[in-house]
Amino acid sequence: MDFLISSAHAQAAGAPAAGGGISTLVMMGVMIAFFYFMLIRPQMKRAKEQRTMLAALAKGDEVATTTGMLGTIVEISETYTSVEVAPNVVVKLQKQAITAVLPKGTLKSA
């Protein structure tokens, strides 16, 4: 089989360089820190703000929902809210469907 691979080329390959494991671990640590600060931490912050906003909802607040509907909260319970989207039209939604609390008077100007 010497005619396919010369003996000099087969013997020239050496052992892999030592110390490559530490640099790999450092690089993995840097990547984990990057993902934490760029992806996980901001998402946790937004989720906390959403929970705080939902806990502060009150009757009479003007809100926007995930479907794009705007309305005024008529009734609120632990998990559901009733939102008036037009005169005498009340829609019952889950609290999580509310994405934003609008400033007072927004619906009158729209």
Side-chain angles (χ1 to χ4, degrees):
M1 287 303 254
D2 284 337
F3 62 93
L4 295 177
I5 302 174
S6 68
S7 299
H9 288 282
Q11 293 175 357
I22 291 177
S23 65
T24 303
L25 288 176
V26 169
M27 189 59 134
M28 286 181 65
V30 168
M31 291 299 291
I32 289 171
F34 174 78
F35 278 111
Y36 176 77
F37 284 108
M38 298 304 288
L39 299 174
I40 298 169
R41 189 168 172 242
Q43 180 64 29
M44 289 172 38
K45 185 178 177 183
R46 280 191 296 270
K48 183 180 178 184
E49 289 172 357
Q50 179 76 5
R51 282 192 307 270
T52 304
M53 188 247 333
L54 291 177
L57 288 176
K59 187 176 177 179
D61 284 346
E62 296 178 358
V63 295
T65 66
T66 56
T67 59
M69 290 190 297
L70 304 176
T72 305
I73 295 178
V74 177
E75 183 183 338
I76 191 163
S77 68
E78 189 67 31
T79 56
Y80 296 100
T81 60
S82 296
V83 179
E84 184 177 26
V85 293
N88 298 323
V89 178
V90 178
V91 179
K92 193 168 194 169
L93 302 168
Q94 290 182 337
K95 270 186 161 181
Q96 290 81 14
I98 296 174
T99 57
V101 177
L102 304 172
K104 297 286 184 188
T106 302
L107 296 179
K108 289 184 174 52
S109 65

